[in-house]
Amino acid sequence: MKNYFKGDSTSVNSLQDITTENVTQDRFSYDDGSIDTNNGSDSSQNSSQKDFISNIKNKRIRNFLEGFKRAEHHDESSLANVDRITIAPSKDEPTEYPGNNQYQRSSPFSNGLEDDQKVGPDIYIDDLENKQQVELIGTTIQDEELLPGQKKEDSNAELRQTIKPRHVIMMSLGTGIGTGLLVGNAKPLAAAGPAPLVIGYGIMGTCIYCIIQACGEMAVAYGNLTGSFNTFPSFLVDPGFNFAVAWVYCIQWLCVCPLELVTASMTIQYWTTKVDPDVFVVIFYVLILLINFFGAKGYAEAEFIFNTCKVLMICGFFILAICIDTGAAGTDGYIGAKYWNDPGAFRGQTKIERFKGVMDTFVTAAFAFGATEFIALTAAEQSNPRKAIPSAAKKIIYRVLVIFLNTIILIGFLVPYDSDQLLGSGGSATKASPYVLAISLHGVRVAQHFVNAVILISVISVGNSAFYSSSRLLMSLAQQGSAPKIFDYVDREGRPLIAMCCSAVIAVIAFCATSPKETEVFTWLMAIAGLSQLFTWFAICLSHLRFRRAMKVQGRSLGEMGYLSQTGILGSLYAAIMMILALIAQFWVALVPMGTHTPDANSFFSNYLAMPILIVFYFGYKIWKRDWRLFIRAKDIDLISHRTIYDEELLRQEDEEYREKLRNGPKWKRVAAFWC
């Protein structure tokens, strides 16, 4: 049974106050559908709240809310001293719930409930007027413990109130459709060929699935921890390692915004090279600032529009590319796998060169898959994370197969790697994305302009998200004591104003777009972002391995975990090893670039700059703190603080109820549960 109450602030204001203040020891219980209080008083309610409660069709929920209102109006002064609310169980439920007893924060990316969300036995919130948000997720309500530097008023409060389910759906679908996929693939395609791209993305896709599982397990266990996966290594691995990885991750997102602005100016050069690129950088820079300074509402609406365009473009490209390849569109007739034979699937004359080509795709794939870990965090903060995380992981598989691998295969069928129009090829003059060339090279008119326009929108979308994320990450570092406290400042509108100004200043790097070295700047920025992503994923996997090791050494049962990774420690071990191999491979490719046999210092630093940055932060922390530990021993890892401990018997009962519900439900629900 899930019994914590969280209400929509615009509809049940007083009930939301109960969730943010210490609550009472007066007990509310219901028997045969009624609810009474110790103090038992019926006071008048304001009209909007009364209308909201009276229109709820479910009698038990309606009585539950009316009981709260009676208690509130009876003696408001007593609420400051209340410590607990206990809801008596129904006849079919156990009377005690020792687990699940901490207040869980709702996701800042979730403003509603999933269909068929369970409140109690045979009660579902599907009959609330206008889908008002009511969430019951535990057996007691406790005041959330504040971490050092964390304010009582969450700076993301505005975000929680303004981002709606339609925004969440489009954000999840549009994740990954950005510079890495639409533009960044041009360089490795020209350097290595189409087959290495497919292999590189496939390998990274398997790693992503394991990372999502590991991140989800720990996010459920430490749902109230400030910083989330950027904080896990601080108490599971080593504070110095956490400091270095967290800062490099923040720098990654600080670099992504100017990277996207540079990419936008390069994309526009497909149409014209007469206008100074910095003109377009100014336009997009101001647009991103305006969107973000409007707060979460402006950000959410902009992302909804951007992601809708991206998803529609990918769907349209998929259909059109198949038509071109089979000869149904374009002027070249049937193409099939022609370009996989001539000029070929791999670029290079020797096996070593071809193997190096595969290694060269890892950073591009990592950059394209960037921010996927946020999906696990969003799922972990849902009311039923044990169902939401496997569902999120399945969506990752479909995204890898459909959006990434399928479109990359089609690009390989339609764009020869030796085309001089590819961005990143020596003779490129048009600065074209491979998605644009896949259409324009085969005589299809007009469509390529629509694709290029959507690519431009996608680039601006990622830049917008990067600006938003970088400022919040900087604020999070300040809250954890890893950055100057000035970045923790939040204005009345809930915006981290100083952190946003810092992000805006760093984004000025984008004005290098007018330089003839524009493509080189693009390479430098993307290398920093891609390598930083590998560091973060490795830190997540290593934290999970250390967490499981500590659980074993300290004799803790895995049954007290709210969710267990489906891939277990073997999945995290596999992903961690692959991250190390990818870093080694990138070191090789950066030091001795494709097509050469001698070391190149300029190439090394432009492609491997994030590693020296990580080393500087790591040893800088060690010297400053005089902490020379390599890692925290498993027996010394704190497994109690900020961790939610669940009741094993209760979880087993919930699993059985869910399986029973599927067995007794329609067949389509069983099919949907398996595939979705």
Side-chain angles (χ1 to χ4, degrees), residues 343-366:
F346 292 87
R347 185 161 200 162
Q349 302 300 319
T350 65
K351 292 181 180 179
I352 291 295
E353 290 179 346
R354 294 175 180 177
F355 177 72
K356 187 187 287 187
V358 175
M359 300 298 101
D360 191 37
T361 63
F362 284 155
V363 170
T364 302

Side-chain angles (χ1 to χ4, degrees), residues 129-149:
E129 181 183 36
N130 296 326
K131 297 183 179 179
Q132 297 292 340
Q133 282 70 52
V134 179
E135 188 173 352
L136 305 173
I137 54 175
T139 58
T140 61
I141 300 179
Q142 299 177 351
D143 191 28
E144 183 181 4
E145 181 180 1
L146 296 182
L147 298 169

Side-chain angles (χ1 to χ4, degrees), residues 575-603:
I577 291 174
M578 290 307 303
M579 295 302 106
I580 294 174
L581 293 178
L583 289 171
I584 294 173
Q586 183 61 22
F587 178 86
W588 177 34
V589 174
L591 187 62
V592 185
M594 293 288 297
T596 66
H597 302 283
T598 57
D600 187 333
N602 182 65
S603 171

Side-chain angles (χ1 to χ4, degrees), residues 42-176:
D42 294 326
S43 301
S44 62
Q45 306 172 359
N46 66 58
S47 59
S48 64
Q49 294 170 347
K50 186 173 181 180
D51 290 340
F52 165 72
I53 296 176
S54 63
N55 282 311
I56 297 178
K57 298 178 183 178
N58 191 296
K59 180 180 178 182
R60 293 177 66 181
I61 297 178
R62 186 171 63 250
N63 290 340
F64 174 70
L65 301 182
E66 289 173 350
F68 267 112
K69 293 303 298 177
R70 287 198 299 271
E72 178 187 23
H73 287 282
H74 172 69
D75 186 5
E76 294 183 356
S77 63
S78 66
L79 288 178
N81 300 319
V82 197
D83 186 38
R84 173 175 175 157
I85 294 178
T86 302
I87 303 177
S90 65
K91 298 177 181 179
D92 297 328
E93 296 176 320
T95 56
E96 294 184 5
Y97 298 91
N100 276 356
N101 61 350
Q102 292 188 5
Y103 170 74
Q104 305 281 332
R105 291 185 299 172
S106 64
S107 167
F109 298 100
S110 174
N111 196 29
L113 300 176
E114 296 180 358
D115 292 340
D116 296 339
Q117 180 173 336
K118 195 168 184 179
V119 176
D122 304 320
I123 304 177
Y124 298 89
I125 300 182
D126 55 4
D127 56 354
L128 304 183
E129 181 183 36
N130 296 326
K131 297 183 179 179
Q132 297 292 340
Q133 282 70 52
V134 179
E135 188 173 352
L136 305 173
I137 54 175
T139 58
T140 61
I141 300 179
Q142 299 177 351
D143 191 28
E144 183 181 4
E145 181 180 1
L146 296 182
L147 298 169
Q150 185 177 1
K151 294 181 172 57
K152 186 73 176 181
E153 297 81 17
D154 189 349
S155 60
N156 287 331
E158 178 69 17
L159 180 60
R160 284 199 297 271
Q161 295 175 5
T162 55
I163 291 185
K164 301 176 182 178
R166 63 185 177 90
H167 300 140
V168 177
I169 292 172
M170 293 312 302
M171 286 179 188
S172 63
L173 289 174
T175 299

Side-chain angles (χ1 to χ4, degrees), residues 486-551:
I486 190 173
F487 293 122
D488 192 21
Y489 172 76
V490 178
D491 67 5
R492 294 180 180 179
E493 300 297 325
R495 298 170 301 197
L497 205 58
I498 304 299
M500 290 176 71
C501 290
C502 179
S503 299
V505 170
I506 294 176
V508 172
I509 296 173
F511 287 96
C512 70
T514 193
S515 166
K517 301 291 185 180
E518 176 189 39
T519 305
E520 293 182 19
V521 174
F522 175 86
T523 302
W524 281 65
L525 292 174
M526 194 167 75
I528 292 175
L531 275 185
S532 302
Q533 195 67 62
L534 294 179
F535 297 147
T536 301
W537 290 342
F538 175 75
I540 291 172
C541 296
L542 185 59
S543 298
H544 183 235
L545 292 171
R546 296 298 298 162
F547 174 74
R548 286 292 192 93
R549 175 63 179 167
M551 292 285 286

Side-chain angles (χ1 to χ4, degrees), residues 181 314 317-318 402-412 435:
L181 177 66
I314 287 293
F317 175 81
F318 190 76
V402 177
I403 294 181
F404 290 94
L405 291 182
N406 279 353
T407 56
I408 288 171
I409 291 172
L410 289 171
I411 288 294
Y435 285 80

